[in-house]
């Protein structure tokens, strides 16, 4: 398969690239940018020159199958060989979900992994591509590492690669490229074993076969083969259970983001039809999840709280939770559960990497973000299919519907009405000046009235990591009111076109209050107040958000 004729070469860069600063989830750019000569190579060289343990180490390599995945695997294999990596573990088709990659890094004691994905961004030639680096713990590389990589890339003059014929097809087995071992696996088996350790597959399987039809939408992305193996082959569910189950290079034109806008077909099946009792979808690289029941949508913040409250339904967690964590913009629904369980709840900045230290230090077992990300200490990434299985396990154990679980949760803990409004593709200058203006106003806001309440705190969120004491500042503008409601405003760190403004809205209603309102109505006065304070619609020219969750 690999040509035995190769030579190691150094390729000169005409000039260094200056735009290789990784964002919230690695380096994410348009597919076309990544197709430019030397662009991918420059970033990978900076990784290999920065990551500890490269010489003689093991690297996990795979991606979500989008356009560019195959070429990148070929390039990175040849660069890994040129840098003396001892072993690269990859899959026969190059397809590997982010949580499965995290697991492989951990069980193989790898120095890290390179995951080729732009997560939930569209793919194909007109879409995006991304390169994400994970460290030896299986989680996203820390900011200090990604800063180092970026600094390195700014002065890079050449890269090292093994020159040989490109590698176009693989089959499972072990090969040699120069002195590097390339172990080609199927990518599903290890992940499946892990899920079988955590969940009671027999219980779930018999529940869904017994008049509890489920549907899962892979959105033509990475989770298709995993979902088919679990739901069809193991649970014995009918073929219609997995929709869009073949990973396609352009995701078949679908925007692979599991939310009510981009996974509308699935949402309609559950919210408007009665064929299925449970529905779920995952994103491009398989780390996000959306959960739906018949006639109901589970807000991701509530989902985290419900998983935490019902941990004892799941064999893998029956010994208890050490603590929980949520990103700052995520609602406080899980905080209330943590209080009830007598465990700690941490509030971190946006981005999965901030959970890493807490997970490694055994301070938390479950964690999540409002952006459809939920996970646990089983890997160091959020895990879409894991969350789906967790839900199914709760439903099977309690023999209840999704809406019954939600209602009984709110009756016990109260309801945190919550919504996120995204304004996408705003010209960067408009978004920056809007944000800057609001940020400058913060010190004057305390005590002022807002949505008929008083502003108690207005600040820019800053986080001190409880494990290593590192400080991360400027993580989002918070306006907190005297009834516990709040609005958070942030600029996205993952977009590639212009800027995306995110507005997060939250209001708590106690268990004796009205638990059955439409969230947009329950949050109406917060929505209007932030629009008038931050001049969102007038400055952006967008009367309504692009995506409402
Ligand atoms: C978004 C989400 C964030 C998540 C990240 C990666 O980042 O909001 O919670 O960790 O994608 O999936 P953002 O675009 O807001 O910076
Ligand atoms: Zn993702």
């Amino acid at each position: 398969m690999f040509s035995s004729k190769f030579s190691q070469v150094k390729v000169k860069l005409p000039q260094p690239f200056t735009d290789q600063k990784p964002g919230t989830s690695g380096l994410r750019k348009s597919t076309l940018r990544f197709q430019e000569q030397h662009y991918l190579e420059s970033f990978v060289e900076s990784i290999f020159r920065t990551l500890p343990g490269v010489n003689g180490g093991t690297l996990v390599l795979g991606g979500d199958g989008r356009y560019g995945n195959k070429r990148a695997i070929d390039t990175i294999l040849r660069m890994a060989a040129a840098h003396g990596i001892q072993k690269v573990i990859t899959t026969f088709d190059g397809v590997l979900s982010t949580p499965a990659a995290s697991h492989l890094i951990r069980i193989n004691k790898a120095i890290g992994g390179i995951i080729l994905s732009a997560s939930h961004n569209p793919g194909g030639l007109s879409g995006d591509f991304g390169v994400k680096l994970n460290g030896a713990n299986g989680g996203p590389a820390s900011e200090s590492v990604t800063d180092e990589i970026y600094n390195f890339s700014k002065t890079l003059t050449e890269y090292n690669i093994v020159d040989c014929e490109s590698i176009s097809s693989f089959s499972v087995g072990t090969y040699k490229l120069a002195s590097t071992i390339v172990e080609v696996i199927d990518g599903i088996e290890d992940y499946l074993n892990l899920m079988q350790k955590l969940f009671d597959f027999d219980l779930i399987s018999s529940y869904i076969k017994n008049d509890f039809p489920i549907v899962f939408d892979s959105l033509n992305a990475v989770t298709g083969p995993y979902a088919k193996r679990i739901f069809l082959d193991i649970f014995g569910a009918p073929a219609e259970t997995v929709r869009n189950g073949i990973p396609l290079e352009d995701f078949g034109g679908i925007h692979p983001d599991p939310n009510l806008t981009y996974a509308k077909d699935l949402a309609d099946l559950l919210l408007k039809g009665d064929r299925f009792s449970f529905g779920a979808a995952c994103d491009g690289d398989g780390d996000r999840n959306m959960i739906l029941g018949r006639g109901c949508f589970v807000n991701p913040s509530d989902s985290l709280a419900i998983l935490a409250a019902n941990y004892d339904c799941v064999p893998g967690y029956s010994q208890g939770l050490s603590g929980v964590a949520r990103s700052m913009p995520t609602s406080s629904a899980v905080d209330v559960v943590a209080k009830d369980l007598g465990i700690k709840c941490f509030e971190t900045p946006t981005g999965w990497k901030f959970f890493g230290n807490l997970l490694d230090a055994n301070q938390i077992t479950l964690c999540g973000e409002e952006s459809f990300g939920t996970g646990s200490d089983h890997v160091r990434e959020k895990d879409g299919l894991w969350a789906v299985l967790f839900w199914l396990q709760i439903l099977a154990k309690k023999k209840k519907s999704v809406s019954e679980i939600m209602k009984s949760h709110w009756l016990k803990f109260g309801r945190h009405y919550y919504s996120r409004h995204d304004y996408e593709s705003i010209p960067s200058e408009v978004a920056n000046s809007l944000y800057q203006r609001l940020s400058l106003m913060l010190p004057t806001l305390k005590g002022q009235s807002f949505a008929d309440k008083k502003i108690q705190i207005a600040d820019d969120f800053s986080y001190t990591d409880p494990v290593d004491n590192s400080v991360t500042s400027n993580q989002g503008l918070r306006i907190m009111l005297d009834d516990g409601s709040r609005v958070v405003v942030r600029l996205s760190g993952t977009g590639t076109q212009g800027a995306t403004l995110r507005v997060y809205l939250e209001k708590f209603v106690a268990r004796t209050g009205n638990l059955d309102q439409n969230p947009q109505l329950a949050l109406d006065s917060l929505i209007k107040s932030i629009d008038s304070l931050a001049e969102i619609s007038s400055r952006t020219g967008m009367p309504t958000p692009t995506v409402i969750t």
Side-chain angles (χ1 to χ4, degrees), residues 28 98 117 119-120 283-288 382:
R28 194 173 292 182
T98 291
S117 172
S119 186
H120 49 283
D283 72 331
D285 62 330
D287 56 0
R288 291 186 173 195
K382 51 192 179 248

Side-chain angles (χ1 to χ4, degrees), residues 384-400:
L385 274 168
W386 166 90
V388 175
L389 291 168
F390 205 131
W391 261 96
L392 289 173
Q393 174 92 46
I394 295 172
L395 298 167
K397 190 89 183 179
K398 300 225 150 177
K399 306 217 175 327
K400 284 191 176 158

Side-chain angles (χ1 to χ4, degrees), residues 174-233:
T174 303
Y175 307 89
K176 206 116 196 247
L177 173 63
S179 47
T180 298
I181 299 164
V182 180
E183 190 178 315
V184 179
I185 59 171
D186 91 329
I188 297 178
E189 212 55 42
D190 293 298
Y191 179 77
L192 182 63
N193 289 339
L194 177 63
M195 293 302 113
Q196 276 171 318
K197 274 194 209 134
L198 297 174
F199 301 104
D200 182 344
F201 272 37
D202 292 338
L203 180 79
I204 301 175
S205 158
S206 63
Y207 188 63
I208 65 176
K209 273 193 259 178
N210 192 10
D211 201 23
F212 195 80
I214 67 167
V215 57
F216 178 81
D217 199 333
S218 301
L219 303 174
N220 296 320
V222 78
T223 50
Y226 296 82
K228 283 187 196 155
R229 183 81 75 87
I230 297 174
F231 299 133
L232 310 189
D233 301 351

